[in-house]
């Protein structure tokens, strides 16, 4: 009987440790990359460097780091007017992309965890939903 219990415990522990656990942030980042490719890459480029004097960079972006809510709002509703990113002033229009709140959260998780950006607090659909124009 002890052998059966021991075998069961060993199998149980191996199953828990060897089966990949879901990581909601990583899954969101994967979805966000696809959204970025479909909607954002034209202006912000595959490298995230943007276009100098026209479209701001996402690479090591102080704006993303310091303006979480405004960044979400800009993707959710579009954005226009002056903004300063990495000490450079940009003044252009980003039209609303028509993304769902879940898609906004996913693309934000992708861009805030790519190109030297690091965001350990996952952006959720609920957080995006709470942001109003």
């Amino acid at each position: 009987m002890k052998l059966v219990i021991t075998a069961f415990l060993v199998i149980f522990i191996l199953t828990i440790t060897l089966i990949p656990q879901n990581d909601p942030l990583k899954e969101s980042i994967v979805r966000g990359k696809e959204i970025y490719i479909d909607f954002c890459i034209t202006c912000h480029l595959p490298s995230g460097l943007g276009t100098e004097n026209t479209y701001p960079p996402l690479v090591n972006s102080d704006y993303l780091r310091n303006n979480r809510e405004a960044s979400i709002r800009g993707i959710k509703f579009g954005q226009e007017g002056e903004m300063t990113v990495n000490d450079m002033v940009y003044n252009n229009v980003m039209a609303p992309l028509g993304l769902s709140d879940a898609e906004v959260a996913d693309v934000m998780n992708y861009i805030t965890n790519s190109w030297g950006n690091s965001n350990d607090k996952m952006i959720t659909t609920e957080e995006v939903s709470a942001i109003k124009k």
Side-chain angles (χ1 to χ4, degrees), residues 51-116:
T51 305
E52 191 172 351
N53 299 318
T54 307
Y55 302 113
L58 303 173
V59 173
N60 291 313
S61 173
D62 61 350
Y63 188 86
L64 287 172
R65 203 171 31 255
N66 300 323
N67 299 282
R68 180 180 174 110
E69 186 173 323
S71 297
I72 294 169
R73 185 178 290 107
I75 293 173
K76 184 174 179 175
F77 298 111
Q79 186 166 326
E80 63 181 87
E82 285 191 358
M83 66 186 308
T84 302
V85 180
N86 298 345
D87 297 322
M88 180 167 265
V89 177
Y90 293 85
N91 190 1
N92 210 331
V93 175
M94 184 172 87
L97 303 173
L99 301 176
S100 70
D101 290 346
E103 291 170 322
V104 171
D106 288 341
V107 78
M108 278 293 297
N109 283 318
Y110 173 67
I111 65 177
T112 60
N113 287 285
S114 300
W115 309 297

Side-chain angles (χ1 to χ4, degrees), residues 5-84:
I5 292 172
T6 303
F8 175 76
L9 288 174
V10 167
I11 292 170
F12 179 74
I13 291 169
L14 286 174
T15 301
I16 289 173
T17 57
L18 295 179
I19 293 178
Q21 302 298 312
N22 291 341
D23 182 338
L25 178 58
K26 286 183 182 176
E27 292 171 358
S28 178
I29 290 169
V30 169
R31 291 188 305 267
K33 182 176 184 179
E34 291 303 314
I35 295 163
Y36 182 85
I37 290 168
D38 290 344
F39 291 91
C40 313
I41 206 166
T42 302
C43 299
H44 295 285
L45 307 179
S47 62
L49 289 172
T51 305
E52 191 172 351
N53 299 318
T54 307
Y55 302 113
L58 303 173
V59 173
N60 291 313
S61 173
D62 61 350
Y63 188 86
L64 287 172
R65 203 171 31 255
N66 300 323
N67 299 282
R68 180 180 174 110
E69 186 173 323
S71 297
I72 294 169
R73 185 178 290 107
I75 293 173
K76 184 174 179 175
F77 298 111
Q79 186 166 326
E80 63 181 87
E82 285 191 358
M83 66 186 308
T84 302

